Amino acid sequence: MVFVTSEELLATLVPIAVYWIYSGMYVMFESRFEKYKLHSKKEEEEKNLVSRKEVFKAVLCHQVMSIAINLFTYAVTREKDGGASPKKSLTLLLLAKQLVIAMVVIDTWSFFVHWYLHQNKFLYKHLHVPHHRLVVPYSFGGQYMHPIEGFLDTMGGTLAVLLSGMSPRTAMFFSSFTILKLVDDHCGMKLPGNPFYLFFNNNSAYHDVHHQLYGTKYNFSVYFDIWDRILGTYMPYSLEKRPDGGLEVRRADQEHKKD
């Protein structure tokens, strides 16, 4: 019995490589993109309660756990012939169906797990607070979280792949896209021409609101803002230029300013 196939290994490791390559690009060029940053370096140093070194180590631990979970899942769901299960010829229609199902599953799972971690004071204090030590988010901080929350986060992606019926190859591309979105949501910048701003309402500015003290109970969504709007956790925002350079995310609704 084969423990892991080459496609399963790639589906597990490629998204992690994408995480570090994409987030590394933001880190490498952040000093040149000051005018596009949502916070200054000074704000990061004053507001964040954890160092970049600690975040780096915690993210590596999270990824080791996600590798184990994904490889185990592939091993127990693989068909007896050694191929991935389910095994179907991929058409554009089937691919579109799988992508929609996977995005809806992740969006729904992530929203309600995230939302509940904020509703339950015990879970928020003991599980979710670590992620919010990053008041000023940056690219590789997207997977900085408590191990139990990390397990729940990984299970969302696993469920999306299983329920959509994706092959490991398709899952590799989908998971890589999900990682790109995660990194971009936490990058702390708004670069001109960024496709995530063109196709998604929830982007780095949208998620930045959630990381601020006034917005911790708002803007939970991953892909679509439908759950935020339905449950009244949507907070509109505006982007303004800072006097000292760069950009600033401001809450745009008068209603939330009064609470």
Side-chain angles (χ1 to χ4, degrees), residues 41-86:
K41 187 66 176 179
K42 183 179 179 181
E43 279 186 280
E44 179 187 331
E45 294 171 351
E46 291 178 348
K47 294 182 178 181
N48 284 357
L49 303 176
V50 61
S51 70
R52 289 196 173 200
K53 183 178 180 180
E54 291 176 275
V55 170
F56 177 76
K57 291 190 294 185
V59 170
L60 287 180
C61 291
H62 166 80
Q63 291 175 340
V64 169
M65 177 181 67
S66 69
I67 289 172
I69 293 173
N70 289 334
L71 292 181
F72 175 78
T73 302
Y74 281 127
V76 299
T77 58
R78 189 185 310 127
E79 290 182 338
K80 291 181 180 180
D81 62 3
S85 175

Side-chain angles (χ1 to χ4, degrees), residues 76-175:
V76 299
T77 58
R78 189 185 310 127
E79 290 182 338
K80 291 181 180 180
D81 62 3
S85 175
K87 198 170 185 178
K88 300 177 181 178
S89 58
L90 190 65
T91 63
L92 286 177
L93 183 61
L94 178 59
L95 176 61
K97 177 183 176 182
Q98 290 176 342
L99 291 177
V100 169
I101 292 174
M103 290 178 75
V104 170
V105 170
I106 283 186
D107 200 61
T108 302
W109 173 274
S110 297
F111 177 89
F112 283 102
V113 168
H114 193 182
W115 174 81
Y116 189 69
L117 288 176
H118 278 267
Q119 299 303 310
N120 187 298
K121 292 182 179 180
F122 177 84
L123 293 180
Y124 179 78
K125 178 180 178 180
H126 294 281
L127 296 188
H128 195 51
V129 158
H131 187 67
H132 279 274
R133 289 174 183 160
L134 295 178
V135 179
V136 177
Y138 45 79
S139 57
F140 66 88
Q143 289 188 333
Y144 174 66
M145 59 190 76
H146 188 282
I148 295 178
E149 183 180 0
F151 173 79
L152 294 172
D153 180 71
T154 301
M155 289 307 300
T158 301
L159 283 173
V161 170
L162 292 176
L163 294 178
S164 64
M166 286 182 176
S167 68
R169 183 176 299 180
T170 304
M172 177 185 71
F173 288 103
F174 175 72
S175 298

Side-chain angles (χ1 to χ4, degrees), residues 179-199:
I179 287 295
L180 290 173
K181 180 73 166 62
L182 173 70
V183 170
D184 213 81
D185 284 352
H186 289 84
C187 72
M189 302 183 197
K190 182 189 183 299
L191 297 179
N194 187 328
F196 289 112
Y197 273 81
L198 297 176
F199 298 105

